[in-house]
Amino acid sequence: MLVFFDETFRMSSLGHRLSALCGIAIPEDMFSTVTTDIYSMKYSSLGEVFAKEKELKFKAMFKAKSFRDKAKDGFSAYLSFSMDLLRYIRRQRFVTFCVVCFDAEIMTYACKDPHKLDVTYKTLFERIDRYMTVEFPNRRAKLVFDDIGYGANNARATAITNFFNRTSVGKGYDSILRTPFFSTSQSHNVGLQLADLVTGVVGMRFQ
């Protein structure tokens, strides 16, 4: 099971900072099919150039112009396509795992202490382990994060690996591979793109 993660940082309508960290689970044996499906949807909705070269980005799909177009003309290609994607996620029954954080001290997800994993990650991993144990007892979840640079990747990887290998709680999560992966987000990495979309929607819900 591949679990792709992304994060978002926002300012609420009341002037409070908030952030969200979310993962979306996609079975490995479905991933090639999902990639083909998303490409076809991009091609038919937004054209060949977008399908081949552009990433799906929540900020681009849900920008103010999209809503102005919707209000003016009754249609926005970006919003329509985004809704198609969300319906696709629901139809495929892809499970998402999310935490929304309002505490300034822990909303960065930076993993500053390599020996003490942030509670936000612990909460997500607990949910993922419970889900995998019940629904896919013979599989392991593989955690895939967006590449945000060597220093940040190293800090995150160290804290996560230490948690899984050096704490009693982490050692008990047998359904999760103990080493995280990092991947660059680009036009054909649909896992990270769907994670970006889901995380953006969740963040907007609490904005």
Side-chain angles (χ1 to χ4, degrees), residues 20-201:
L21 175 65
C22 301
I24 181 169
I26 303 175
E28 289 179 71
D29 54 3
M30 290 183 62
F31 192 69
S32 293
T33 299
V34 173
T35 298
T36 301
D37 289 346
I38 300 300
Y39 177 85
S40 298
M41 293 169 66
K42 290 167 67 175
Y43 190 98
S44 62
S45 297
L46 300 172
E48 180 179 3
V49 174
F50 189 98
K52 289 183 176 180
E53 301 178 7
K54 302 293 184 180
E55 290 182 64
L56 301 172
K57 285 293 187 181
F58 174 85
K59 290 183 178 179
M61 299 291 106
F62 287 82
K63 60 186 177 182
K65 184 179 183 302
S66 297
F67 290 96
R68 289 197 299 268
D69 290 345
K70 177 71 173 178
K72 179 182 177 182
D73 304 322
F75 177 78
S76 164
Y78 281 168
L79 290 180
S80 177
F81 176 58
S82 298
M83 294 307 299
D84 287 342
L85 282 177
L86 292 172
R87 282 189 286 266
Y88 177 82
I89 291 171
R90 183 175 182 178
R91 188 165 62 249
Q92 298 296 336
R93 298 184 178 181
F94 295 150
V95 175
T96 58
F97 309 89
C98 302
V99 291
V100 178
C101 186
F102 300 89
D103 187 337
E105 294 184 2
I106 60 173
M107 68 166 52
T108 64
Y109 315 120
C111 297
K112 295 180 181 180
D113 187 345
H115 304 292
K116 185 178 180 181
L117 186 64
D118 297 356
V119 67
T120 48
Y121 290 95
K122 291 180 182 179
T123 301
L124 282 180
F125 296 162
E126 178 184 9
R127 295 173 183 172
I128 292 170
D129 178 70
R130 187 184 306 127
Y131 168 72
M132 293 297 297
T133 300
V134 173
E135 300 294 337
F136 298 96
N138 298 319
R139 296 191 185 188
R140 281 193 172 187
K142 300 170 182 66
L143 312 176
V144 185
F145 293 90
D146 195 5
D147 182 353
I148 53 177
Y150 175 78
N153 291 347
N154 184 62
R156 182 177 277 176
T158 301
I160 291 174
T161 302
N162 283 340
F163 170 73
F164 284 130
N165 290 286
R166 297 185 179 181
T167 70
S168 57
V169 174
K171 288 179 181 179
Y173 293 162
D174 294 328
S175 68
I176 303 176
L177 197 67
R178 299 177 186 273
T179 301
F181 297 90
F182 297 88
S183 179
T184 55
S185 182
Q186 37 82 14
S187 60
H188 297 300
N189 191 333
V190 298
L192 288 177
Q193 292 178 67
L194 292 180
D196 175 88
L197 175 65
V198 168
T199 305
V201 170

